[in-house]
Amino acid sequence: ETFTSNAKLGTETDGVITSGYWGTVFSYNEFRSDANTLLLLHGNKGDIATQFTDSSSNGYTISATGTATQSTAQKKWGTSSMLFDGDSDYLSCSHSDWDAGFGTGDLTVEAWVRFNDHAPSQCIISKGGAGWGGTDYDGWQLTKHSNDRLYFYGRQGGTSREMYTTSALSWSDDTWYHFAATKDSTDTFYIYRDGVSQALTGTNPDSTSLTTDASVDLLIGAQPWGGGGLFFGGYIEEVRISDSCRYPDGTTFTPNPTVTGDSATATLIQSANAVTGTRTEVGGTMLYADNEGT
């Protein structure tokens, strides 16, 4: 988040600035949690590399496997992003938090990704949807395949796996892409890359395949087959899973547009600041409340 204010600057002279109110405007690109946000990972704790925080109201516990970390070397927004080695790294969230699945409701699964090597098949997000190893792998996943297509799988009953797939797309290493898979109230699926809806082929994963009691965890950067696989290599950030269709009707959109919030009011919480001479900048400890109450 950034904020700017020149309210009162250059207007104070020698004397004391008492507690007062300063106007400011906030702008941000990161996703903000709302009532439809089930999971939100910014990956912005580069200074606490192994602490992964769910910024949704659920506050789920996120666990790291392998050398999954956060790095300031690359980021799309904020200060850092989540880094995976493509060999054994992934993040997980307990299956007990996800047993209800999506059912017949709307959904959006999305993230920003940056491949170190785009050639291998790599899973972005999964809650099952893998292999043929029994009902323990029922569920869904969003994967970029080695054939250069994006896949959204839905698997049910331990015997069948349905999917939607895009056509082959062109890719570059070390490039940020935004992926989103959505389903709307008419049970229509869309897969977007960088805000552009892709032509889809395949079979619609039905509501049964999106409602799972499988014991497999939600994974970021891997799929669950055999304890892990299709490991992602590169950077991921702004992972958001929602129980709403955020991008309906195949309409082109701008991922993470810059949002400028309404003016917020800040209170100078120190009782007074001594000032000697005219100042064009004033330092102080401020307490801000924006429209979300934070």
Side-chain angles (χ1 to χ4, degrees):
E1 295 176 352
T2 61
F3 65 89
T4 60
S5 174
N6 60 5
K8 293 191 176 183
L9 296 185
T11 66
E12 303 294 346
T13 57
D14 291 358
V16 173
I17 302 174
T18 59
S19 298
Y21 298 94
W22 297 63
T24 189
V25 175
F26 287 85
S27 62
Y28 52 87
N29 292 92
E30 294 180 328
F31 291 136
R32 313 289 279 183
S33 181
D34 59 21
N36 298 112
T37 305
L38 302 180
L39 181 79
L40 178 58
L41 303 180
H42 295 302
N44 266 350
K45 292 186 176 291
D47 57 335
I48 313 175
T50 57
Q51 179 179 315
F52 297 89
T53 301
D54 172 20
S55 296
S56 78
S57 61
N58 293 313
Y60 291 135
T61 298
I62 307 299
S63 302
T65 296
T67 58
T69 185
Q70 292 170 90
S71 171
T72 58
Q74 297 292 339
K75 69 269 189 186
K76 183 62 181 178
W77 315 113
T79 59
S80 62
S81 60
M82 297 171 281
L83 175 60
F84 303 83
D85 66 7
D87 180 56
S88 60
D89 292 353
Y90 59 89
L91 304 181
S92 61
C93 182
S94 172
H95 71 276
S96 62
D97 294 323
W98 294 91
D99 277 353
F102 292 107
T104 58
D106 296 358
L107 69 87
T108 303
V109 178
E110 61 186 314
W112 282 91
V113 303
R114 181 185 173 105
F115 297 103
N116 288 338
D117 179 3
H118 70 275
S121 293
Q122 300 175 62
C123 186
I124 311 303
I125 306 171
S126 70
K127 198 340 183 153
W132 305 96
T135 55
D136 283 348
Y137 295 99
D138 283 359
W140 52 268
Q141 67 174 260
L142 176 63
T143 293
K144 184 265 170 193
H145 199 275
S146 59
N147 62 13
D148 292 334
R149 300 168 184 253
L150 288 173
Y151 285 77
F152 188 85
Y153 294 105
R155 188 173 183 280
Q156 59 176 316
T159 58
S160 63
R161 185 167 67 165
E162 299 171 325
M163 61 188 174
Y164 266 134
T165 175
T166 70
S167 59
L169 303 172
S170 60
W171 303 91
S172 297
D173 295 338
D174 304 319
T175 300
W176 283 104
Y177 296 99
H178 179 265
F179 298 156
T182 71
K183 182 172 77 72
D184 65 18
S185 58
T186 67
D187 211 30
T188 302
F189 270 83
Y190 301 94
I191 297 178
Y192 299 86
R193 187 181 75 166
D194 294 339
V196 178
S197 180
Q198 305 297 313
L200 300 181
T201 58
T203 304
N204 187 350
D206 65 22
S207 60
T208 303
S209 65
L210 299 177
T211 304
T212 175
D213 293 320
S215 59
V216 65
D217 293 342
L218 177 81
L219 304 182
I220 311 296
Q223 59 121 356
W225 177 251
L230 302 188
F231 294 107
F232 176 86
Y235 300 86
I236 301 178
E237 71 163 282
E238 291 301 284
V239 175
R240 182 170 65 172
I241 302 177
S242 309
D243 61 3
S244 63
C245 181
R246 295 189 182 274
Y247 314 115
D249 305 324
T251 303
T252 299
F253 64 93
T254 300
N256 293 76
T258 300
V259 176
T260 301
D262 294 336
S263 295
T265 299
T267 303
L268 181 63
I269 63 176
Q270 289 136 304
S271 60
N273 279 345
V275 176
T276 57
T278 301
R279 293 288 181 263
T280 58
E281 295 183 0
V282 177
T285 302
M286 314 294 282
L287 179 63
Y288 283 89
D290 63 15
N291 288 340
E292 296 180 354
T294 57

